[in-house]
Amino acid sequence: MKSFACGDIIPGCGATFGAADDDGILVQTRRHAVEAHGAAEPGTDSDPRVRPHIHDV
Ligand SMILES: [Zn+2]
């Protein structure tokens, strides 16, 4: 199981995500980046920022 807390890279954001693997996290964080943080579709620009902060739980 993997987890990611958006607040690790965007202070003040309380969103957290859980999935079986990294790809499962990234599917969610791409959508979150677009919907919550105004990232350009499809949100994949956030991947390199998110990946180092995905933790095993
Ligand atoms: Zn966020």
Side-chain angles (χ1 to χ4, degrees), residues 7-21:
D8 285 352
I9 57 173
I10 301 185
C13 184
T16 57
F17 306 90
D21 54 26

Side-chain angles (χ1 to χ4, degrees), residues 30-56:
R30 287 169 190 156
R31 187 171 64 236
H32 175 74
V34 171
E35 294 180 351
H37 298 300
E41 294 273 9
T44 46
D45 287 355
S46 66
D47 290 3
R49 297 183 67 196
V50 171
R51 281 187 190 280
H53 296 280
I54 296 175
H55 301 294
D56 288 303

